[in-house]
């Protein structure tokens, strides 16, 4: 909320009046005539007012609401009409926060948020509430505290978008009667105590370790199932088992400077003694 300043139209009228008064003086007009020209120029120069494209002027006539004026050039009656306020109808950004506010599960948090709003009814914003900008900021902060008190910390951290929608509805309901509309609310940051952050970090780490162990156990079960199926295949086909054993020995011995120790019982059961003896005669460097 601001007031209008002098404009170029008023300045031109005053300059013209001053020139007319000076000309009348040089032409020999009486003093009262020159004074009348100067006073008339001053009064007329107070009438033109100029509002920017985004501004609406609240005009009071003898203390009563006369109407809104602007944007552009408009005129008032000097000393009878008064510009009570100039309302900015652009989108306004207001930062607000709630410090050390307890959540539903009694956790103290600090929440920073930003409110985007604009005035859609300049008359109500200027006449229904004093300093509507400050009133919007206080209403937003109060609504944020109320919402935090009804929300659990976990829901606040994971459901921020839902919380922003609820907060917007609460603020809009409170300030809508002032001719103000909320466009959006964005929560910038949620700060929790350092001790609680460490506890939550340990809890998350424990959950990750638990998940890793569960996945490892499931992998072991799958491997055991695959081995059981393979054993059935080898049981029905001993030749396939011997070929698999030869492949295992070959993979182990083909590495340079490699050494493989095979139990004698395994060699006898798989009938791969000949292959082991052949492999033993191969130089390691080849």
């Amino acid at each position: 909320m601001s007031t209008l300043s002098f404009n170029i139209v008023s300045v031109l009228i005053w300059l013209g009046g001053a020139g007319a008064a000076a000309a009348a003086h040089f032409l020999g007009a009486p003093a009262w005539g020159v004074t009348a020209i100067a006073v008339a120029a001053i009064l007329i120069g107070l009438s033109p007012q100029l509002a920017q494209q985004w501004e609406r002027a609240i005009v009071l006539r003898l203390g009563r609401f006369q109407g809104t004026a602007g944007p552009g050039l408009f005129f008032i009656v000097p000393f009878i009409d008064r510009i009570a306020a100039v309302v900015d109808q652009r989108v306004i950004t207001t930062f607000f926060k709630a410090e050390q506010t307890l959540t539903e599960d009694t956790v103290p948090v600090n929440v920073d948020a930003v409110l985007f709003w604009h005035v859609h009814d300049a008359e109500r914003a200027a006449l229904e509430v004093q300093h509507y900008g400050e009133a919007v900021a206080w209403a937003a902060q109060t609504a944020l505290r109320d919402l935090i008190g009804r929300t659990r910390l976990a829901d606040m951290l994971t459901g921020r978008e839902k919380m922003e929608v609820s907060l917007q509805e609460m603020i809009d309901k409170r300030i809508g009667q002032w001719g103000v509309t909320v466009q959006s609310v964005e929560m910038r940051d949620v700060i929790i105590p350092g001790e609680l952050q460490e506890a939550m970090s340990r809890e998350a780490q424990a959950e990750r370790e638990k998940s890793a162990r569960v996945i490892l156990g499931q992998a072991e079960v799958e491997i055991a199932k695959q081995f059981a199926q393979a054993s059935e295949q080898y049981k029905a086909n001993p030749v396939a088992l011997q070929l698999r054993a030869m492949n295992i020995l070959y993979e182990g011995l083909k590495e340079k400077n490699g050494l493989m120790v095979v139990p004698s019982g395994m060699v006898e059961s798989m009938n791969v003694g000949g292959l082991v003896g052949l492999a033993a005669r191969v130089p390691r460097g080849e």
Side-chain angles (χ1 to χ4, degrees):
M1 187 180 297
S2 60
T3 58
L4 297 177
S5 57
F6 294 120
N7 54 79
I8 187 63
V9 178
S10 297
V11 173
L12 292 177
I13 292 176
W14 289 332
L15 291 177
H25 176 70
F26 283 114
L27 293 176
W32 63 267
V34 175
T35 303
I37 293 174
V39 172
I42 293 174
L43 293 178
I44 296 174
L46 294 175
S47 179
Q49 301 292 329
L50 188 64
Q52 302 299 325
Q53 178 64 37
W54 57 85
E55 293 178 333
R56 298 296 183 273
I58 306 300
V59 182
L60 300 181
R61 176 164 295 175
L62 298 178
R64 297 179 63 86
F65 176 72
Q66 176 65 22
T68 60
L73 182 66
F74 63 95
F75 297 88
I76 62 174
V77 180
F79 302 107
I80 296 178
D81 294 342
R82 182 173 70 90
I83 305 298
V86 178
V87 179
D88 190 334
Q89 292 196 308
R90 293 175 294 182
V91 176
I92 301 175
T93 303
T94 300
F95 295 93
F96 61 102
K97 59 184 178 179
E99 297 180 349
Q100 296 297 319
T101 305
L102 294 178
T103 62
E104 186 180 6
D105 45 356
T106 65
V107 177
V109 296
N110 296 338
V111 180
D112 296 335
V114 59
L115 177 68
F116 299 91
W117 57 279
H118 73 279
V119 177
H120 68 269
D121 191 334
E123 176 185 350
R124 294 169 63 185
L127 302 180
E128 297 293 335
V129 60
Q130 184 183 24
H131 305 304
Y132 64 88
E134 297 180 4
V136 169
W138 284 111
Q141 186 181 52
T142 304
L144 178 59
R145 288 182 174 273
D146 292 344
L147 183 60
I148 292 174
R150 300 199 300 264
T151 307
R152 299 179 64 85
L153 179 61
D155 298 335
M156 185 181 303
L157 297 177
T158 59
R160 181 173 298 189
E161 294 183 357
K162 181 179 179 181
M163 189 174 179
E164 290 174 349
V165 173
S166 300
L167 184 59
Q168 178 178 347
E169 294 176 353
M170 292 176 62
I171 299 175
D172 204 11
K173 183 178 180 181
R174 296 186 181 190
I175 69 177
Q177 57 185 339
W178 303 334
V180 179
T181 300
V182 177
Q183 285 197 342
S184 64
V185 181
E186 296 182 6
M187 297 175 58
R188 300 177 59 199
D189 197 9
V190 178
I191 304 175
I192 60 178
E195 298 81 2
L196 183 58
Q197 291 184 17
E198 295 178 359
M200 295 176 64
S201 177
R202 291 194 298 268
E203 180 182 359
Q205 184 177 359
E207 287 292 334
R208 288 193 295 269
E209 292 180 356
K210 176 184 176 181
S211 299
R213 292 179 180 273
V214 170
I215 294 173
L216 181 60
Q218 293 175 350
E220 291 292 340
V221 172
E222 293 296 328
I223 292 173
K225 290 181 179 180
Q226 295 295 329
F227 281 161
Q229 294 178 4
S231 65
E232 292 295 330
Q233 295 292 329
Y234 291 143
K235 182 178 179 181
N237 193 346
V239 177
L241 178 60
Q242 293 180 5
L243 293 175
R244 179 56 180 161
M246 293 178 183
N247 181 260
I248 293 174
L249 292 176
Y250 171 75
E251 293 293 335
L253 294 174
K254 73 178 182 178
E255 297 293 336
K256 293 184 178 180
N257 299 325
L259 178 63
M260 176 175 290
V261 178
V262 181
S264 59
M266 178 180 176
V267 175
E268 294 176 358
S269 63
M270 294 184 180
N271 194 19
V272 294
L275 177 61
V276 174
L278 178 60
R281 290 194 297 270
V282 177
R284 293 186 178 181
E286 296 182 359

